[in-house]
Amino acid sequence: MINPGSNSDPFPAGLRVLVVDDDPTCLMILERMLMTCLYRVTKCNRAELALSLLRKNKHGFDIVISDVHMPDMDGFKLLEHVGLEMDLPVIMMSADDSKSVVLKGVTHGAVDYLIKPVRIEALKNIWQHVVRKKRNEWNVSEHSGGSIEDTGGDRDRQQPREDADNNSSSVNEGNWRSSSYRKRKEEEVDDQGDDKEDTSSLKKPRVVWSVELHQQFVAAVNQLGVDKAVPKKILEMMNLPGLTRENVASHLQKYRIYLRRLGGVSQHQGNMNHSFMNGQDPNFGPLSSLNGFDLQALAVAGQLPAQSLAQLQAAGLGRSSLIKPGMSSSPLVDQRSIFNFENPKIRFGDGHGQAINNGNKQMSLLHGVPTGMEPKQFAGSSYMRVQQQITGVRPGQNVQSSGLMLPVADHLPRGGPSMLPSLGQQQPMFSTSVSRRSDLTGAVRNSIPETNNRVLPATHSVFNNFPADLPQNNFPLASAPGISIPVSASYQEEVNSSDAKGGSSAATAGFGNPSYDIFNDFPQQQQHNSKLNDWDMRNIGLVHSHQDTAAASAGFSTSEAYSSSSMQRKRRETDATVVTAHGQNQQPPSRSLNHLNHVFMDGGSVRVKSERVAETVTCPPATTLFHEQYHQEDLMSALLKQEGIPSVDNEFDFDGYSIDNIPV
Amino acid sequence: MQRQVALIKQSLFDQGYLDEQFMELEELQDDANPNFVEEVSALYFKDSARLINNIDQALERGSFDFNRLDSYMHQFKGSSTSIGASKVKAECTKFREYCRAGNAEGCLRTFHQLKKEHSTLRKKLEHYFQLARQAGPKETARRPK
């Protein structure tokens, strides 16, 4: 009869639906109904399981239907994750029909909201959401493609929301209009593109926004300025083959929504990230610690929403550039940043490869080179990191951790600067934690969409782990056990390096990169472990975000060092928890993040500071951070060398400076 | 026999034990899934028994964590709604209101009532399905899909 997924009418048939509900009765009924509609149904009674299914099978589903109230994870969180990571339409349903809940569904991006008892008629039409989404994406890509090179760019800017109005110019007016209302999301609507009326052509391969990818995205966005970022330019900046403008556009939409949801965290935070990155100030130290946790949390949580990661990335990237040499350690940082930039790139590539595969690729994100296009996942983590950085940066520092909306950053009360640095680096990781912590980092948040906040918490945790572990280079992934989070090995390395380097490496946010080399240096540090540990944590945070701000990280290390000792302990614990959590990466980030957040909180007054710092920090252009991250590794090593292991101690002295120094 | 079965079913509707959702479920039943409704009912009763148990325990503890109770009841209401158990659903709604008002005694009373309705429905449905099976494949009013 009807061939599933064919080009013609039978299109709705064979639609692959994933339905998530903890109520077995409802699940069974829905399954039956959907099958009656000739859809291919997969049922799932736990949100985490659903997320992992989705992650494992990136293109295995067309649409997700989820209950709002579930014991293991809030349906809205799942919604966000799916939206960010997989970019699938999600329908919410509930027996609860109160307006506030329905509104929540809308604001979180659900394409529809069904009231239970669900009738089969309601399910018969869910395919429209799939088509709509695809059409929007097509339009976006179409537009971006081409023709409108410069006008298109302008158009993008102009049309923030109504595609229709602006785009009428071209070719597919008709098409465009129809899709325009769908694309209401302002941004990118791209306009004209070809008209892709036929649904069959909608089968575009879905881009998976991995953490790294998201980081890159965030970096690019931050660099352009969140408000001005248009898909075309972002795409150019990211410069990744295989990524289309439409992918970027739709991702940007989500990102913006996320940002908005975060309460308009000012870009300021984004800047902060930069500062972190750049400034390896001691400020970062604290941040890193926080970040570590966040990241971990994020890692645990599983894939951080891509956005968050991206944000972190962006934040991190942004930050790194921000970190100005002002900081005392800045000179070093500067140097490092330079290094970072150069190297990170390279490293990331490697790092990514590794990271990407891990759920926790947060580290790779840091590197900023999302080789994989799975930014989403990383994005979350990256966000976290960035945020962390931001927080660390604190006052002067601009928590550049761009992207890392280090929620944790707020924590960084202590030596802000120290924290910051770590935050910056933590971007990838932080994103997850960031998202969680969004409240905390306020500032950071800016760059990072909500998801990031969530991410951060995870990242923080991640970082925390590092410090403790870094010295040992044992970390499975990230030196810190906590870092098991996706932060990919590269992260660890960086973390280690940062620790070893006494904070200078903190800047090596570029964890993502296979900066193993940096870590190797650590062994020496490990002797200093006690100090380093603390630092590591911090540094890690900072490092991650700050790749650029190698100098900053150095700064952090010192500051962090001292603060970290206590934190360290805490962090360790949290890290441990986080680590395990992260191991799962796929786990619903929201949950783990929350957990991490808590963890962080305990351990980390530091975190709080970092977050705070984040606020003050402004994010430097994302791109810069990116580079910085890369460089950080180098810088860190350079710094470490310069400073020697003992530098760690010294760095603590910086404690105050980082923040001040870090130009926001 | 089939007529008898039909009558019983009709009375369940008339008496308000079941609502049109139940009819929707019946429509999902077809030759490939002839016992779908019975299966769903069985699943519902099994799951709701578990929920009732949880609530019972929570109430017995005497701590009256209204949030938790409300959340249990939300689940309960969701399943009851999906299967079309209207009387049970009504009791759920009442219970939740008492929860929100913090009225412990009201909760207890309502819950007691809810359990009664629940077990009444269960018996009736079990009886109904039993007869239905005996009567053989019956032609339920099915609208063309």
Side-chain angles (χ1 to χ4, degrees), chain A residues 22-26 28-29 32-33 35-36 67 69 71 94-96 116-121 124, chain B residues 20-21 24-25 28-30 33 36 39-40 43-44 47 74-75 77-79 81-83 143 145:
Chain A
D22 61 315
D23 183 346
T25 311
C26 290
M28 186 177 194
I29 295 175
R32 189 82 267 281
M33 286 184 173
M35 280 168 67
T36 303
D67 188 40
H69 295 92
S94 177
D96 191 349
K116 286 182 180 173
V118 177
R119 296 176 69 105
I120 195 172
E121 289 79 18
K124 280 204 173 113
Chain B
E20 62 266 1
Q21 182 64 14
E24 287 263 333
L25 297 186
L28 292 174
Q29 193 159 274
D30 57 17
N33 300 275
F36 174 69
E39 283 165 14
V40 175
L43 184 57
Y44 165 71
D47 190 53
H74 178 84
Q75 286 181 50
K77 183 175 173 202
S79 358
T81 309
S82 300
I83 199 182
R143 284 191 294 232
K145 298 229 182 339

Side-chain angles (χ1 to χ4, degrees), chain A residues 94 122 148 177 195 260 376 422 470 514 520 573 590 632 659:
Chain A
S94 177
I148 321 205
R177 283 205 210 94
D195 183 353
R260 249 183 275 125
K376 293 234 176 118
S422 45
L470 287 181
N520 294 331
E573 297 163 355
S590 52
Q632 284 187 349
I659 301 188

Side-chain angles (χ1 to χ4, degrees), chain A residues 59-71:
Chain A
H59 304 284
F61 297 99
D62 297 310
I63 189 166
V64 178
I65 302 181
S66 171
D67 188 40
V68 167
H69 295 92
M70 290 188 288

